[in-house]
Amino acid sequence: DIQMTQSPSSLSASVGDRVTITCRASQYISIYVNWYQQKPGKAPNLLIYAASSLQSGVPSRFSGGGSGTDFTLTVDSLQPDDFAAYYCQQTYSTPWTFGPGTKVEIK
Amino acid sequence: EVQLVESGGGLVQPGGSLRLSCAASGFTFSSHWMHWVRQAPGKGLVWVSRLNTDGTRTTYADSVEGRFTISRDNAKNTLYLQMSSLRADDTAVYYCARDALESRSFDLWGRGTLVTVSS
């Protein structure tokens, strides 16, 4: 199975900050990485697919990058609604594994 | 409205069985592969199973292979997950999710249904 790791596991940031979360795959996965946001008690919400494509309806302050084994999710100018958990997911090969998540908290 | 609504969760004893349902509406259900994903309390997301559009191709996580069965009824726009030989570590919120056409991502999720395995 492909293992996904994320760093950091949590971070504290202020409104307006630029935040970057890193995701690393245990083997080559091309661009088959997606990013999800999840708020407490809610279902995940797709933000980025295929490493860098913005899902329809998602604010443009979210962006994704990377290929191969290393990927990033960046939030420019963090907004109050962005404080949540973020998960990467690989869909290169089954089982389609998720990273352990990064919790973004208010500083 | 485009949505997925899960049902069927509840409290079940170890070794018991449960069937989850996921009702789809507002889109062409039969055109999408579908998935189940679970999340244990306070933990991360774990992919469980997927099913192709006509219900003939299934894939499972090793942890549920042989115990869970995914299926669908396209006439009823409903996805199912039959769970048997349940264990305490199957306790989780179970989400159904729609596979986005052409992008291998989950673009629509239900609210989830909680399964608790305990004596």
Side-chain angles (χ1 to χ4, degrees), chain A residues 1 32 34 36 38 41-46 48-50 55 87 89 91-100, chain B residues 35 37 39 43-47 50 59-62 95 99-100 102-112:
Chain A
D1 297 1
Y32 291 103
N34 308 309
Y36 300 88
Q38 186 181 32
K42 302 294 186 181
N45 182 50
L46 177 64
I48 301 288
Y49 63 92
Q55 173 67 1
Y87 295 91
Q89 176 202 34
T91 54
Y92 183 77
S93 67
T94 56
W96 290 8
T97 42
F98 290 88
Chain B
H35 301 260
V37 176
Q39 186 170 37
K43 303 297 184 181
L45 301 167
V46 177
W47 174 83
R50 72 171 179 180
T59 314
Y60 298 95
D62 287 347
Y95 297 100
D99 196 315
E102 301 178 0
S103 76
R104 287 197 194 176
S105 61
F106 300 170
D107 68 342
L108 179 67
W109 295 67
R111 291 185 176 183

Side-chain angles (χ1 to χ4, degrees), chain B residues 33-107:
Chain B
W33 288 56
M34 295 295 295
H35 301 260
W36 288 98
V37 176
R38 69 184 182 184
Q39 186 170 37
K43 303 297 184 181
L45 301 167
V46 177
W47 174 83
V48 172
S49 182
R50 72 171 179 180
L51 183 62
N52 70 337
T53 55
D54 64 5
T56 59
R57 291 174 57 189
T58 60
T59 314
Y60 298 95
D62 287 347
S63 59
V64 306
E65 180 86 55
R67 300 187 299 122
F68 290 12
T69 302
I70 189 172
S71 62
R72 68 194 296 162
D73 185 336
N74 286 340
K76 294 183 178 180
N77 291 332
T78 303
L79 177 73
Y80 302 100
L81 186 67
Q82 178 69 47
M83 306 184 294
S84 60
S85 301
L86 283 161
R87 313 184 301 225
D89 63 358
D90 294 318
T91 294
V93 174
Y94 284 74
Y95 297 100
C96 62
R98 183 179 76 175
D99 196 315
L101 296 173
E102 301 178 0
S103 76
R104 287 197 194 176
S105 61
F106 300 170
D107 68 342

Side-chain angles (χ1 to χ4, degrees), chain A residues 19-84:
Chain A
V19 168
T20 297
I21 299 168
T22 297
C23 179
R24 175 165 289 174
S26 60
Q27 65 186 71
Y28 173 84
I29 58 171
S30 184
I31 60 166
Y32 291 103
V33 160
N34 308 309
W35 290 93
Y36 300 88
Q37 177 193 67
Q38 186 181 32
K39 297 178 181 177
K42 302 294 186 181
N45 182 50
L46 177 64
L47 300 175
I48 301 288
Y49 63 92
S52 61
S53 295
L54 189 68
Q55 173 67 1
S56 176
V58 173
S60 59
R61 63 180 179 272
F62 291 93
S63 63
S67 65
T69 60
D70 295 316
F71 304 88
T72 58
L73 173 70
T74 298
V75 186
D76 284 320
S77 188
L78 204 64
Q79 297 301 299
D81 192 48
D82 302 336
F83 293 95

